[in-house]
Amino acid sequence: MAAEGGWRPAGGRRRRRRRGGREEEEEGGAVLRRLREARNDLLSSGFWAASAGAVRAPLGATAEPPARCVCYGLGRFSCCPAARHQLAFLLLLLEELGVPPGRCSVFDPAFSPQEAAALVELGLRLLPDNEEGKHGIEGSATLFYMVHCGKALYNNLLWRNWSPGALSKMVIVGNSFKGIEERLLSRILERDYSYIAKVLKGTEEVALPAHPQYLDTFNDTSIHWFPLQKLKELSPEVWDCVEEPTYQECEIIRKGERAEQHGPAAAES
């Protein structure tokens, strides 16, 4: 059970430096204080306790618990309270699963230098490049934390790991696949997000509990996993097509693009 108090910088100390004639805390210090407050909010509200129960059930059903984590799309957590609570939830989740921060890789092209420094202080790894979600698990059971990410990121991730063996070692915390299916016309889902469409029958999904304090922060968020037996029951033709996805219109930030090119909404969760 997580206790209130919060995380300390990995280095165990804070340093000060002068900038513009005024003494300021090292980059990320103020962000870390607000992050600890977000952690305490999650704990005191009861939302984390209810969510941890929802997380344990599906993770207990997987053959191999996640040993590492990849996080996409946190957004500007220094200035966006929703993104800050999503990051605090991720850190609590890592504690719950026993995954060291150093085995969690994080990327969002919108991160500021101060936010990147804060993540490093927390012991997390920064991915150097925009993978567009195309991260291979390379045989390691992996948790993907992708709250409120664009559909193309989920589709790309599935494509990169498109085999029963790889998918069965993945857990995805992110937008409900059932919700995506309900909101999109079937022809658009199958044309633009074919890997989401094809994996639906091989997916187990549990929604995070609703909480009035976090309706916008975690709305439509579910835990997804892919039992090997269910994947083996899919038609063999499902696994034949492994063409890399392409998109005419894409809501994600592509490699080489800056967050500003997608406007403020793309930069935040």
Side-chain angles (χ1 to χ4, degrees):
M1 184 71 176
E4 291 195 19
W7 303 281
R8 296 182 181 278
R13 63 184 182 185
R14 292 179 186 170
R15 296 185 300 272
R16 294 178 181 268
R17 67 180 180 182
R18 292 190 174 276
R19 183 189 299 161
R22 294 183 305 169
E23 193 175 66
E24 296 181 353
E25 288 190 353
E26 189 179 16
E27 292 178 347
V31 176
L32 292 174
R33 286 199 305 275
R34 290 194 290 269
L35 184 58
R36 286 191 290 271
E37 294 170 358
R39 169 199 168 99
N40 291 338
D41 287 345
L42 289 173
L43 293 174
S44 62
S45 69
F47 179 72
W48 167 249
S51 299
V55 168
R56 289 188 203 104
L59 293 183
T62 60
E64 185 180 348
R68 64 189 189 100
C69 174
V70 175
C71 171
Y72 292 127
L74 270 177
R76 296 298 312 278
F77 59 88
S78 65
C79 55
C80 175
R84 193 153 53 246
H85 281 93
Q86 289 165 11
L87 174 55
F89 188 98
L90 169 63
L91 294 170
L92 286 167
L93 186 56
L94 294 178
E95 289 181 12
E96 178 72 22
L97 298 176
V99 177
R103 294 186 64 84
C104 180
S105 301
V106 186
F107 183 83
D108 192 315
F111 286 152
S112 69
Q114 292 83 0
E115 287 164 336
L119 292 169
V120 171
E121 282 196 68
L122 289 166
L124 303 174
R125 287 186 63 244
L126 296 176
L127 288 169
D129 299 310
N130 183 356
E131 302 174 322
E132 299 181 0
K134 301 169 186 176
H135 188 99
I137 67 165
E138 310 300 342
S140 297
T142 305
L143 169 73
F144 289 90
Y145 188 79
M146 307 169 61
V147 179
H148 295 172
C149 284
K151 295 180 289 294
L153 275 184
Y154 301 107
N155 198 56
N156 288 349
L157 175 63
L158 294 170
W159 164 77
R160 181 63 179 81
N161 297 281
W162 195 244
S163 73
L167 292 175
S168 66
K169 293 187 175 186
M170 291 168 48
V171 174
I172 300 175
V173 179
N175 294 1
S176 167
F177 284 12
K178 291 178 182 177
I180 292 174
E181 180 185 24
E182 291 168 358
R183 288 189 294 270
L184 284 183
L185 294 173
S186 58
R187 61 179 178 82
I188 295 177
L189 180 64
E190 293 169 3
R191 181 194 68 194
D192 295 345
Y193 309 104
S194 62
Y195 292 94
I196 296 176
K198 290 187 290 187
V199 85
L200 284 170
K201 291 183 178 179
T203 305
E204 294 284 351
E205 176 177 330
V206 172
L208 288 186
H211 190 285
Q213 191 172 336
Y214 303 108
L215 291 179
D216 293 333
T217 306
F218 294 103
N219 67 304
D220 196 43
T221 300
S222 291
I223 303 153
H224 309 79
W225 72 105
F226 313 93
L228 184 59
Q229 187 55 44
K230 290 192 73 168
L231 295 172
K232 288 182 175 179
E233 291 171 1
L234 298 180
S235 167
E237 289 77 20
V238 164
W239 309 105
D240 289 344
C241 180
V242 290
E243 183 178 352
E244 184 171 359
T246 58
Y247 308 96
Q248 292 183 342
E249 296 183 3
C250 191
E251 74 273 65
I252 68 171
I253 300 173
R254 297 177 188 261
K255 189 171 184 177
E257 292 181 342
R258 297 189 307 275
E260 293 82 359
Q261 293 175 265
H262 282 245
E268 297 186 359
S269 298

